[in-house]
Amino acid sequence: MNISFDLDSTIIPNGNEFETEKRSRIAKLVGIEEIRAGTPALIYDLQHLGHKIHIYTTSFRTKLKIRLTLRFYGIKVDRIVNQTENQRVLKSRNINASKHPLSFGFELHIDDSKGVEIEGKQYNFKTIIVNPVDKNWIKKIKNGIQLLEAT
Ligand SMILES: [Mg+2]
């Protein structure tokens, strides 16, 4: 399955909402961001189950910056869609949502936003919404994917 992940408050913290992976002082100096504890293993596991993992964010970070941060933690993703590309594509398709994963071929989108969940119902795309403070977020994602695959 083509699965996209949101960044902010899903795998990159906005404050102290969740525990993060270890990051060296040098990494911090060169602008590597913190990521949620367990993210590298989760993405690795999903990729080894045959899923393609993508990033879909409404942030204006450059794709290079996002890729470098992920690489620091050993994460390789397929496609990265940032807000620059998102706005361009959704505008050209006349889609009035903040996110529309199907426009990029993403079959399931993982996000923290209830608004994105509502858009999923309106535009008929699949989401798994994880609360930033949910300690069982990895289980929720893995179970959610299994359930989708069974249907
Ligand atoms: Mg978010």
Side-chain angles (χ1 to χ4, degrees):
M1 205 186 311
N2 280 290
I3 303 172
S4 54
F5 280 79
D6 169 50
L7 286 183
D8 291 294
S9 293
T10 300
I11 61 174
I12 291 182
N14 171 30
N16 292 322
E17 51 202 342
F18 42 67
E19 307 258 313
T20 54
E21 295 280 324
K22 281 201 171 55
R23 179 181 59 158
S24 67
R25 207 179 307 162
I26 292 166
K28 192 175 173 178
L29 273 175
V30 299
I32 301 295
E33 297 189 70
E34 292 189 287
I35 63 166
R36 193 172 192 164
T39 303
L42 169 64
I43 290 180
Y44 179 90
D45 287 351
L46 294 177
Q47 288 171 330
H48 280 254
L49 285 169
H51 299 294
K52 278 204 162 44
I53 304 301
H54 314 272
I55 298 296
Y56 185 12
T57 176
T58 51
S59 114
F60 286 101
R61 291 176 182 87
T62 65
K63 296 181 187 198
L64 178 65
K65 180 173 163 53
I66 294 168
R67 215 170 270 285
L68 287 176
T69 282
L70 297 174
R71 278 296 179 90
F72 174 77
Y73 298 99
I75 299 170
K76 275 176 88 173
V77 295
D78 278 74
R79 192 157 171 204
I80 295 174
V81 175
N82 64 7
Q83 181 66 337
T84 312
E85 183 178 7
N86 183 46
Q87 281 182 336
R88 179 168 47 76
V89 171
L90 296 199
K91 198 177 170 197
S92 74
R93 303 191 63 188
N94 261 318
I95 293 170
N96 224 341
S98 70
K99 284 186 179 171
H100 190 257
L102 296 172
S103 286
F104 303 93
F106 306 150
E107 301 162 274
L108 166 66
H109 178 66
I110 297 166
D111 208 292
D112 66 294
S113 161
K114 293 258 184 254
V116 170
E117 183 175 35
I118 292 165
E119 289 179 343
K121 287 178 182 140
Q122 286 172 342
Y123 288 88
N124 211 18
F125 61 81
K126 294 186 178 81
T127 60
I128 294 175
I129 304 301
V130 289
N131 190 322
V133 297
D134 183 0
K135 298 248 186 264
N136 291 314
W137 70 291
I138 287 177
K139 208 165 194 179
K140 181 172 185 184
I141 290 170
K142 286 184 172 175
N143 289 347
I145 292 169
Q146 270 192 341
L147 211 71
L148 279 175
E149 284 183 318
T151 55

